[in-house]
Amino acid sequence: MIEKVINDFSVTIATVNGSGSQTANVTLLRALFKMGIPISGKNLFPSNIQGLPTWYTIRVSKDGFIARRDEQELVVTLNPSSFAQDLASVQPGGAFYYADDIKLPIARNDISIYPMPVKQMARAANVSPALRDYIANMVYVGILAQMLGIELETIQQALSFHFKGKAQAIDSNFGTIKAAADWAAQNLQKTDPYSVARMDATSDLIMADGNTAAALGAIYGGVQFAAWYPITPASTVAESLNSFLPQLRKTKDGKQTYAVLQAEDELAAIGMAIGAGWGGLRSMTSTSGPGISLMAEYAGLAYLSEVPVVIWDVQRIGPSTGLPTRTAQGDLTEAYYLSQGDKQNVVLLPGSVKECFEFGWKALDLAEQLQTPIFVLSDLDLGMNQWMTKPFEYPTAPLERGKVLWEQDLEKLNGIWSRYKDSDGDGIPFRTVPGNKHPASAWFARGTGHDENARYSEDATTWESNMARLKKKYDTARTLVPEPIIEVEEGATIGIIAYGSTEPAVEEARALLKQAGNLKTAFLRLRAFPCTNEVQDFIKKYNPIYIVEANRDGQMRQILSAVMPELASKFRSACHSDGLPLTANWVKESILKQEKNQ
Amino acid sequence: MTTPTPSQLNKAGLSKNDYRGQPSTLCQGCGHNSIANQIVTTCYELDIVPEKVIKLSGIGCSSKSPAYFLNRSFGFNSLHGRMSSLATGALFADTSIRAIGISGDGDTASIGMGGFKHMVRRNVPIVYIVENNGVYGLTKGQFSATAEVGLNLKHQGINQYMPVDICMEALASNATFVARSFAGDAKQVKELLKAAFSHHGVAVLDIISPCVTFNNEGEAAHSYTWGKDHEAPLHEISFIPAMDEIEIQGEFAEGSVREVCMHDGSTIRLKKLEKDYDPTSRANAFQILESAQLNDWLVTGLLYIDESKPTLTETFNLVDTPLNRLVDADLRPERETIDKINAMMF
């Protein structure tokens, strides 16, 4: 008798893209979550509407480790074209579930093999032929439920959520799940050790994706204008604005305090957002790497003319079109240096769904406080997958509207003010916005050289002093952006720096490193550029510093090396980019290998 | 500066000086300067409060000119070909603001064509002027997309490609106001500008504005000489503001005058010249532009007008207070909503 493994495995489901398996997969994920078990789910999908192979991988972890794993104990396949690959991917001792209409050789005797009568049961279901493919996916939900011990009641809760309480859809899907579970009970003999059991580790959590969180955060941040152009994986940011704004931000008489506009391209999306920002609106756009490339020129204009705007970049892997449905952290240097000439941009790096919400409102505050573009770098993994997260928290502080002068302010000043003067010594000037009726309110925005009064100027000294002030403003940003999160294990000498969606992999890798060689680590999760003082202090304290990131070139290392060249010799890259979320094992191995080589 | 006498003040209590800009840095005799002057006069005569206007532009000689009028208006000299999107976003800030956009043929018909056409199809409420001279001035004399076939420019050779007709492009994109004029015809420019300021939606004015430095040779299709010789006005246009009582000036023969009522109550009066022309028909507009191209005419006047379409911002059902004057309480949902939102998640 093999020892049972409870709540500690990965299961991957292979289907055909466009066959409706996403509903089944998310139902499984949510049911497990409702059983109180820590989970993560990652959709590894192709850039395709219908027909190509697609996978969904769920990790079940009693210890709360939710990074993706390469190792799959359980594999389910409904797809003949990926069948051989799927079969080969099962860990020895694991189990392979397959649709029994696929007649392909199964030459493995180190795993359990479970055929599933998918077609037969789909046909038996009382649904129209058009829905048969969709219902077929519910067969593996039922069979896995029976074989793993997933409570049918939690499955019903998940279905009810998905179908928004529509009884007919819930009942027909649940009927098939129940029938499949019964079939498995009668026909399959469980020979593998993997199963689940109820825990109490998720009751204070919700499930959401980062893009929805970003949109909600922006709404609580008072977003008034958003322009966007469709692009995977960012589209659902704007689409979520469209679905939640009417619920949250209409007046009693049904009027809008906001406008969302789908632009003709990203050049226009950012142009519109900057127009609105200049007009005094809390304004944003959302895109991915290719869109950021198109936005480069306008971002520079906003930097020099000092217009507030928030730019969400839900990163996918590049360069060029790259792999449009795969994740990466490859736009860091692009965003940081975006546009021609001297500049560094303010970049926020949310590391969780909850932070996507928080930075959703904070970014709008920072944009108006600093009168500059604020980039927020999420990624496909964070943005599009469902994550367990702490509930969203109502913003802790009132809206920050920055230094805006209205009619009464100008009256007090007798109309004497200068648009680009550093009157407070923080590099941030005052501004007025169109609609201000004071005769001295107007100024002329431009991307060309200008003096303190916004007049065109090609004077050398004027140019240089304005650029020096913008640099000073960036130093002020250092005091306003989110500080890093630091976790130190006692006795640690090694430092790790990471950011964004790699946090779960790094957290788990730290535990693995401790197990493997008693390597104690200190971890800094960077949440913004410019770096706050804590970052430098951390780097000074530890040696070496491993910088973990999901890109080829070690972009964070490049920037940190440029920012603090005197400390750069401490940096070692642990970077890797294949389109998939980093695994803890890879992070651990990368660090161990470099430790041994020293 | 001497204090203006009350008779020099308009109904906004402002003198013409209040509408002026910085001294122009464009070439002496540039058509753009004459257009800037007409903008000053138009806004003064229409009693427009300059603080209620935003002036926007792209990049190029034409795009420099917003600095040369309406010093008391907010301005934004943006990117090459990208003013259309800037205007689209800015107009949501306060819908009581009027916008005037100054572009050129390179800015609109080459680099900015996509944005231009989308601004037009959305009926963004803006007076959009293309100062069209068929040539790139700031970069010293390259062909633009509106240059005619056969144009011979120093260092450039002979243009081989068919020109873009900006009015045709605007019409094709369902523009609600399309006019063509000639910078040398100051009176018509002014009357068209007035009508454009009253228009409900996007008003595209393609104004042939000769470049005296790079493209003003005798028979070039954007030269003063050619314009003067080939101008074929569709009508004699005059604009009567909403507040003015319409006086009949002189006797008009039956059917010799057409009047277009504007959304804001003002009237455009079109006096028939050789032929009657109905500017409320798109088909007429296409046809006359086609004939103009075939016959080498510089057809000027109001080509098309439709006052009935909603503007972009009207389609949004916005609150009455300008969005940029909303405060925290309007913008942040109330605290108790957060629990509902969390409950909506799984």
Side-chain angles (χ1 to χ4, degrees), chain A residues 267 271 297-298, chain B residues 58 78-87 107 111-112 115:
Chain A
L267 303 167
E297 192 186 14
Y298 242 129
Chain B
S78 69
L79 299 180
H80 199 20
R82 308 280 167 251
M83 175 252 288
S84 48
S85 58
L86 191 86
D107 199 61
I111 190 167

Side-chain angles (χ1 to χ4, degrees), chain B residues 5 11 25 60 78 84 113 116 122 145 151 159 161-162 165-166 174 185 266 282 292 302 304 327 335 346:
Chain B
T5 65
K11 286 179 193 152
T25 60
S78 69
S84 48
M113 180 71 107
F116 167 68
R122 293 191 182 101
L151 176 64
N159 177 43
Y161 311 116
M162 286 298 285
D165 184 323
I166 287 163
N174 291 296
D185 187 350
S266 52
R282 262 180 105 216
L302 180 61
Y304 181 67
V327 295
R335 186 174 286 274
F346 189 70

Side-chain angles (χ1 to χ4, degrees), chain A residues 101-161:
Chain A
D101 54 296
I102 306 174
K103 309 289 181 202
L104 288 167
I106 301 176
R108 281 192 71 167
N109 51 20
D110 59 338
I111 58 175
S112 301
I113 308 283
Y114 305 119
M116 304 183 294
V118 173
K119 280 224 159 125
Q120 202 182 317
M121 297 201 73
R123 244 179 272 125
N126 187 22
V127 294
S128 67
L131 289 175
R132 214 168 268 162
D133 276 356
Y134 295 98
I135 215 90
N137 296 303
M138 295 301 156
V139 174
Y140 68 74
V141 174
I143 290 173
L144 283 177
Q146 173 61 30
M147 299 294 278
L148 300 179
I150 303 170
E151 296 164 10
L152 288 183
E153 195 183 309
T154 63
I155 289 183
Q156 202 159 19
Q157 286 175 328
L159 284 174
S160 173
F161 177 81

Side-chain angles (χ1 to χ4, degrees), chain B residues 154-224:
Chain B
K154 204 175 166 187
H155 308 306
Q156 307 300 320
I158 294 167
N159 177 43
Q160 307 290 340
Y161 311 116
M162 286 298 285
V164 166
D165 184 323
I166 287 163
C167 291
M168 197 83 105
E169 298 297 339
L171 279 170
S173 307
N174 291 296
T176 54
F177 182 116
V178 182
R180 174 165 286 155
S181 193
F182 174 51
D185 187 350
K187 183 177 179 298
Q188 192 198 51
V189 168
K190 188 175 85 174
E191 295 303 309
L192 283 170
L193 273 172
K194 285 182 175 176
F197 267 104
S198 279
H199 175 60
H200 182 242
V202 70
V204 177
L205 276 81
D206 177 28
I207 305 179
I208 306 305
S209 176
C211 172
V212 291
T213 306
F214 295 107
N215 189 16
N216 198 28
E217 294 297 316
E219 273 309 289
H222 295 81
S223 69
Y224 274 115

Side-chain angles (χ1 to χ4, degrees), chain B residues 29-305:
Chain B
C30 176
H32 304 355
N33 288 332
S34 139
I35 297 167
N37 289 337
Q38 295 314 317
I39 293 168
V40 169
T41 307
T42 297
C43 292
Y44 168 70
E45 290 183 3
L46 289 179
D47 310 311
I48 288 171
V49 177
E51 285 76 27
K52 300 289 280 184
V53 178
I54 55 174
K55 44 180 190 170
L56 310 167
S57 62
I59 293 291
C61 289
S62 56
S63 292
K64 281 175 171 270
S65 70
Y68 314 141
F69 57 82
L70 300 182
N71 256 350
R72 283 173 50 172
S73 298
F74 279 80
F76 206 142
N77 181 191
S78 69
L79 299 180
H80 199 20
R82 308 280 167 251
M83 175 252 288
S84 48
S85 58
L86 191 86
T88 304
L91 281 161
F92 282 92
D94 179 343
T95 55
S96 69
I97 289 172
R98 297 162 196 254
I100 177 162
I102 308 288
S103 181
D105 37 316
D107 199 61
T108 289
S110 283
I111 190 167
M113 180 71 107
F116 167 68
K117 291 178 73 97
H118 285 275
M119 171 195 72
V120 167
R121 90 179 169 93
R122 293 191 182 101
N123 207 23
V124 173
I126 184 173
V127 176
Y128 188 95
I129 298 168
V130 185
E131 299 181 341
N132 184 351
N133 56 17
V135 73
Y136 285 78
L138 275 182
T139 51
K140 309 226 182 287
Q142 296 81 14
F143 293 119
S144 91
T146 61
E148 69 276 20
V149 173
L151 176 64
N152 191 349
L153 291 179
K154 204 175 166 187
H155 308 306
Q156 307 300 320
I158 294 167
N159 177 43
Q160 307 290 340
Y161 311 116
M162 286 298 285
V164 166
D165 184 323
I166 287 163
C167 291
M168 197 83 105
E169 298 297 339
L171 279 170
S173 307
N174 291 296
T176 54
F177 182 116
V178 182
R180 174 165 286 155
S181 193
F182 174 51
D185 187 350
K187 183 177 179 298
Q188 192 198 51
V189 168
K190 188 175 85 174
E191 295 303 309
L192 283 170
L193 273 172
K194 285 182 175 176
F197 267 104
S198 279
H199 175 60
H200 182 242
V202 70
V204 177
L205 276 81
D206 177 28
I207 305 179
I208 306 305
S209 176
C211 172
V212 291
T213 306
F214 295 107
N215 189 16
N216 198 28
E217 294 297 316
E219 273 309 289
H222 295 81
S223 69
Y224 274 115
T225 314
W226 189 88
K228 288 229 156 78
D229 293 350
H230 291 73
E231 186 179 359
L234 291 168
H235 33 234
E236 200 181 299
I237 182 168
S238 47
F239 176 81
I240 302 131
M243 307 306 283
D244 288 11
E245 209 169 304
I246 299 173
E247 313 161 23
I248 302 292
Q249 297 170 327
E251 289 294 308
F252 291 119
E254 182 93 358
S256 71
V257 165
R258 232 173 227 289
E259 286 188 343
V260 181
C261 294
M262 307 293 280
H263 201 264
D264 65 358
S266 52
T267 308
I268 301 171
R269 180 178 293 158
L270 304 169
K271 194 175 154 199
K272 189 171 103 176
L273 293 173
E274 278 167 42
K275 277 189 195 157
D276 190 25
Y277 180 78
D278 176 6
T280 62
S281 154
R282 262 180 105 216
N284 282 358
F286 278 117
Q287 203 169 26
I288 196 79
L289 286 170
E290 191 69 22
S291 307
Q293 198 175 78
L294 288 172
N295 298 302
D296 230 13
W297 298 330
L298 172 55
V299 165
T300 63
L302 180 61
L303 287 157
Y304 181 67
I305 185 164

